[in-house]
Amino acid sequence: MKISATDLNKIYKKEQALNHLSLTLEGNKIIGLLGKNGAGKTTLMRLIAGHFQPTSGQLEINGQSPFNHYSITRDVCLIQENYNFYEKFTIDDILKISAVFYPNWNASEAEELVTLFKLKRKRKISALSKGMLSAVGIIVGLASHSPITIFDEPYIGLDASYRSTFYDLLLQSYQEDPRLIILSTHLIDEVSKLFEEVAILHDGKLLLHEKAEDLAENHCIVSGPVKEVDKAIEGKQVLHQSTLLGQKTAILYDQEIDGNYDSLTFSKASIQELFVYLTKEEVVKHGDRN
Amino acid sequence: MTERLNEDQPIFIQIAELIETSIVEGDRLANEQVPSTNEFAKHYQINPATAAKGINLLVDQGILFKKRGVGMFVTEDAKQIILAKRQERFYTHYVQPLLQEAKRISLTQEQLLDFIKEGFSHED
């Protein structure tokens, strides 16, 4: 499957949610779609699922627009944070409808998952707790076996233990049936090891899209005595730096350090740390503002 | 292989090093099978492609070989290759930081050597 966005714009509720976004996601991979609140992630995922049309630009799946094309959208399963299911339906109803809607639906897998998450099939959606609702979303997402499966913050209300179960299930399901899985979450530290690729949106644009391993290789944290660090990072683009007790730490992205520095140590940041440094708004002290 | 992964190094390198360590320590002998990509992925909750990259790194270095349809196995020379590699970097990875800290806290050469001798005498 191939999702391609070209110069994609979406104005949603009078806000420019996506701003000339170009991005290609393809292959059977688990891809992390990251971004701060309001970066445009949910808008992009809903465009992929065909919920609405772009304001301008193209969004295509295998060369076709998903909007109003069931031949495309039946291959896409989007599980959102909430409002996935009609409130008056029971879990049983949801499973039956999903079986009709998703061509690759795996009923026995869905059954097993209902048991695993200890759900009561006769319960109405409106009577479920947040955690149980998330579990239903996860079950539908996994059992759909959709060629494009998208989870947008799928585990609100799920505790750390069930979240870990979800990661196990996701990996297992992916290994048995490799497909394009897009996972969007703010709990980056928990899931970053699951990603093969990472795409970060910022202000409706693509900030970066890389293999997770390359992201790890393309940056470094340099620390050591202030003078030495300053010498090493002179003229480089620095993501973040801080100094304390005569020691300095600087994070570089996409930059080589040349030369030999005995007194410096080099280490790696997590994807979550990198994400924070790449997208964070700096706090300005009162009085420093112009 | 129950060591935890950390953030300091790319995960695929840590996977490669875990396998190397198990070979050096004699947990895995020549011609024995190592865990599959899927087993690593499941155990460490990591992407299978990441695990595969770590394993392939060792294939490239002649430490593992692939038996088609069966899995990955330890080569005859694996242990020698790993020993040579790790001995070569021992000075920069372990001795240099040791000396740096010794200097920082004013340990003399004699005191340092005594520590090392003491350490060796506890070995058996």
Side-chain angles (χ1 to χ4, degrees):
Chain A
M1 300 300 279
K2 180 176 179 178
I3 302 168
S4 42
T6 318
D7 202 23
L8 188 63
N9 286 292
K10 179 67 188 177
I11 294 169
Y12 185 71
K13 292 184 177 169
K14 292 184 182 169
E15 297 276 340
Q16 180 100 29
L18 294 178
N19 188 359
H20 301 280
L21 173 75
S22 293
L23 166 71
T24 304
L25 304 174
E26 67 179 316
N28 294 327
K29 297 170 186 156
I30 302 177
I31 300 177
L33 181 63
L34 310 179
K36 289 196 302 185
N37 296 325
K41 304 178 302 276
T42 298
T43 304
L44 175 63
M45 290 183 273
R46 294 189 60 193
L47 280 165
I48 295 170
H51 287 193
F52 40 41
Q53 284 182 290
T55 306
S56 67
Q58 263 103 50
L59 188 277
E60 292 182 337
I61 295 175
N62 292 347
Q64 244 201 308
S65 161
F67 183 76
N68 257 347
H69 284 118
Y70 178 62
S71 60
I72 299 292
T73 53
R74 67 176 184 187
D75 283 343
V76 181
C77 177
L78 167 62
I79 299 298
Q80 294 187 271
E81 193 175 324
N82 39 36
Y83 309 120
N84 286 303
F85 310 109
Y86 184 55
E87 295 240 309
K88 288 184 179 165
F89 285 165
T90 63
I91 294 177
D92 235 358
D93 297 332
I94 300 293
L95 299 182
K96 278 181 193 149
I97 293 165
S98 301
V100 176
F101 191 81
Y102 297 109
N104 301 337
W105 182 257
N106 185 328
S108 61
E109 187 176 338
E111 290 290 336
E112 284 166 27
L113 293 175
V114 167
T115 312
L116 181 77
F117 281 103
K118 300 191 166 62
L119 297 174
K120 299 208 170 60
R121 310 181 44 130
K122 300 291 170 207
R123 278 268 184 101
K124 276 192 179 155
I125 292 300
S126 56
L128 299 182
S129 70
K130 277 185 184 165
M132 289 191 270
L133 257 181
S134 294
V136 177
I138 285 167
I139 292 168
V140 171
L142 291 174
S144 77
H145 283 263
S146 297
I148 295 175
T149 303
I150 309 172
F151 291 105
D152 182 9
E153 290 287 358
Y155 34 47
I156 301 303
L158 273 195
D159 57 50
S161 168
Y162 268 128
R163 288 203 299 273
S164 183
T165 303
F166 167 60
Y167 306 142
D168 285 341
L169 290 169
L170 185 75
L171 270 179
Q172 192 186 329
S173 183
Y174 169 73
Q175 286 175 335
E176 284 165 8
D177 174 24
R179 50 205 194 267
L180 177 51
I181 296 175
I182 299 171
L183 186 54
S184 177
T185 178
H186 293 304
L187 299 175
I188 305 172
D189 263 348
E190 281 191 12
V191 294
S192 58
K193 292 188 188 89
L194 302 180
F195 300 151
E196 184 166 348
E197 286 178 10
V198 175
I200 301 180
L201 298 190
H202 191 55
D203 293 338
K205 294 190 177 82
L206 182 68
L207 186 69
L208 67 83
H209 177 203
E210 291 203 56
K211 284 186 178 173
E213 307 143 13
D214 292 345
L215 201 57
E217 278 184 22
N218 289 349
H219 81 276
C220 72
I221 306 177
V222 192
S223 43
V226 178
K227 272 187 187 167
E228 292 280 321
V229 173
D230 280 339
K231 210 169 117 194
I233 65 175
E234 201 186 342
K236 311 272 182 202
Q237 209 195 322
V238 179
L239 271 188
H240 176 83
Q241 49 185 317
S242 64
T243 306
L244 189 73
L245 294 170
Q247 297 287 309
K248 182 165 187 165
T249 299
I251 301 182
L252 304 183
Y253 180 71
D254 224 357
Q255 307 271 323
E256 294 275 320
I257 294 232
D258 356 84
N260 254 328
Y261 297 93
D262 282 347
S263 53
L264 297 185
T265 52
F266 296 90
S267 54
K268 294 290 175 187
S270 65
I271 291 182
Q272 169 146 310
E273 284 176 285
L274 275 181
F275 169 77
V276 170
Y277 292 132
L278 284 165
T279 62
K280 185 169 150 181
E281 309 286 339
E282 288 302 331
V283 177
V284 184
K285 262 195 265 172
H286 290 294
D288 288 356
R289 249 184 266 260
N290 289 323
Chain B
M1 274 185 264
T2 48
E3 229 174 296
R4 293 162 60 89
L5 301 178
N6 59 53
E7 301 287 355
D8 300 338
Q9 280 198 86
I11 296 163
F12 73 93
I13 291 183
Q14 296 185 55
I15 294 296
E17 293 198 339
L18 282 165
I19 299 173
E20 281 184 7
T21 301
S22 76
I23 294 170
V24 169
E25 289 180 347
D27 279 341
R28 293 290 142 124
L29 303 172
N31 298 310
E32 282 186 358
Q33 192 168 6
V34 298
S36 68
T37 300
N38 284 356
E39 286 171 291
F40 277 111
K42 192 178 172 197
H43 186 88
Y44 289 110
Q45 266 186 357
I46 59 174
N47 191 291
T50 310
K53 189 165 180 184
I55 289 172
N56 286 331
L57 197 68
L58 298 183
V59 174
D60 292 343
Q61 295 174 10
I63 292 166
L64 298 180
F65 68 99
K66 187 176 184 171
K67 273 192 203 168
R68 232 163 249 293
V70 191
M72 292 293 177
F73 291 79
V74 179
T75 62
E76 288 287 344
D77 300 334
K79 193 167 176 175
Q80 280 315 311
I81 296 170
I82 300 163
L83 286 179
K85 190 167 77 171
R86 292 213 176 172
Q87 283 168 4
E88 199 179 289
R89 68 178 194 209
F90 186 78
Y91 185 79
T92 50
H93 278 219
Y94 296 96
V95 181
Q96 260 179 359
L98 178 86
L99 292 177
Q100 253 177 23
E101 176 66 5
K103 240 187 222 168
R104 209 177 275 142
I105 61 171
S106 305
L107 279 179
T108 64
Q109 188 176 338
E110 286 72 36
Q111 284 172 301
L112 205 52
L113 289 174
D114 282 344
F115 278 139
I116 292 173
K117 279 180 200 155
E118 197 186 317
F120 270 105
S121 71
H122 287 319
E123 272 296 275
D124 344 275

